[in-house]
Amino acid sequence: DAKTTQPPSMDCAEGRAANLPCNHSTISGNEYVYWYRQIHSQGPQYIIHGLKNNETNEMASLIITEDRKSSTLILPHATLRDTAVYYCIVRVDTSGGSNYKLTFGKGTLLTVNP
Amino acid sequence: DAGVTQSPTHLIKTRGQQVTLRCSPKSGHDTVSWYQQALGQGPQFIFQYYEEEERQRGNFPDRFSGHQFPNYSSELNVNALLLGDSALYLCASSLERGLGHLFFGQGTRLTVV
């Protein structure tokens, strides 16, 4: 799986958009970009994933650059409950396969301030 | 839906002892993975079970072993515990067939003294 690079920490004001960057310059054509977050003392929680098109769900938006070497997770209106470590992960998804291993880095600690 | 459940939530063991951690996957999921998370680090993949067999394994010694039962629940066993085995152990479930993401449990906090 390709390696990712994320800033160790970021701050955001409550109610503002939080934009979390991730570099994955060695990503392969068949690797997806996944985002998970981990609130203190809880298990990681899936947020969103994408291959090359931008994606949006009820939690966040994912913007992937055209060359796929970087992406940005956007939380449109951050709340105090969004304070967590955010992990950007790239991995191959094979339908019918068994390769669901996730390789976590240290992630970005996002602190949402009142 | 109870999601992924793990037991116990906390555990204290002595160096050299053996420990068994348990996991029940999310309803409808047939694949279970285990991760170890040391303090301040991201989770590290231990192994994955599907159809009662170990399908993938991370860089962990043979002291770490597992089992999956016909009802898809799973156990993680660690023998000859070391102080360095102190960590949060996370279980995640998923569907084997098709694209998808992992659902994680709350973890078991193991402390080896």
Side-chain angles (χ1 to χ4, degrees), chain A residues 38-83:
Chain A
Q38 187 172 24
I39 296 170
H40 184 62
S41 298
Q42 296 185 21
Q45 176 192 25
Y46 165 81
I47 302 173
I48 199 168
H49 76 285
L51 183 62
K52 51 185 176 182
N53 296 322
N54 298 337
E55 302 287 344
T56 296
N57 63 19
E58 65 280 2
M59 291 184 68
S61 295
L62 174 60
I63 308 298
I64 303 174
T65 58
E66 193 168 344
D67 63 7
R68 303 209 324 121
K69 293 185 177 181
S70 65
S71 60
T72 301
L73 178 73
I74 301 172
L75 308 179
H77 305 286
T79 70
L80 299 180
R81 289 176 295 178
D82 292 322
T83 293

Side-chain angles (χ1 to χ4, degrees), chain B residues 27-101:
Chain B
S27 177
H29 284 184
D30 55 12
T31 302
V32 173
S33 302
W34 287 91
Y35 289 77
Q36 180 196 65
Q37 186 173 24
L39 205 59
Q41 304 294 317
Q44 300 299 305
F45 175 75
I46 303 176
F47 43 51
Q48 179 196 80
Y49 277 83
Y50 170 68
E51 290 187 334
E52 302 179 48
E53 289 187 13
E54 183 181 295
R55 299 288 178 162
Q56 271 192 293
R57 189 178 183 92
N59 189 25
F60 280 81
D62 292 344
R63 297 187 297 109
F64 289 77
S65 63
H67 189 78
Q68 186 179 34
F69 299 93
N71 66 352
Y72 309 126
S73 67
S74 176
E75 289 182 348
L76 165 65
N77 300 292
V78 186
N79 294 323
L81 284 167
L82 304 174
L83 297 179
D85 294 332
S86 295
L88 180 68
Y89 288 85
L90 295 160
C91 171
S93 73
S94 59
L95 287 170
E96 160 64 8
R97 301 294 174 185
L99 299 175
H101 51 272

Side-chain angles (χ1 to χ4, degrees), chain A:
Chain A
D1 292 340
K3 190 173 180 180
T4 62
T5 304
Q6 299 178 252
S9 64
M10 293 182 64
D11 286 328
C12 177
E14 188 178 19
R16 304 297 294 268
N19 297 280
L20 292 93
C22 179
N23 287 319
H24 32 79
S25 58
T26 59
I27 192 170
S28 301
N30 61 348
E31 287 183 312
Y32 285 70
V33 179
Y34 275 76
W35 284 84
Y36 284 75
R37 73 179 183 183
Q38 187 172 24
I39 296 170
H40 184 62
S41 298
Q42 296 185 21
Q45 176 192 25
Y46 165 81
I47 302 173
I48 199 168
H49 76 285
L51 183 62
K52 51 185 176 182
N53 296 322
N54 298 337
E55 302 287 344
T56 296
N57 63 19
E58 65 280 2
M59 291 184 68
S61 295
L62 174 60
I63 308 298
I64 303 174
T65 58
E66 193 168 344
D67 63 7
R68 303 209 324 121
K69 293 185 177 181
S70 65
S71 60
T72 301
L73 178 73
I74 301 172
L75 308 179
H77 305 286
T79 70
L80 299 180
R81 289 176 295 178
D82 292 322
T83 293
V85 176
Y86 287 76
Y87 297 100
C88 170
I89 299 162
V90 293
R91 72 168 174 96
V92 174
D93 260 343
T94 54
S95 176
S98 61
N99 186 15
Y100 285 95
K101 166 187 170 183
L102 296 179
T103 301
F104 289 84
K106 292 190 176 182
T108 296
L109 173 59
L110 174 69
T111 302
V112 181
N113 301 304

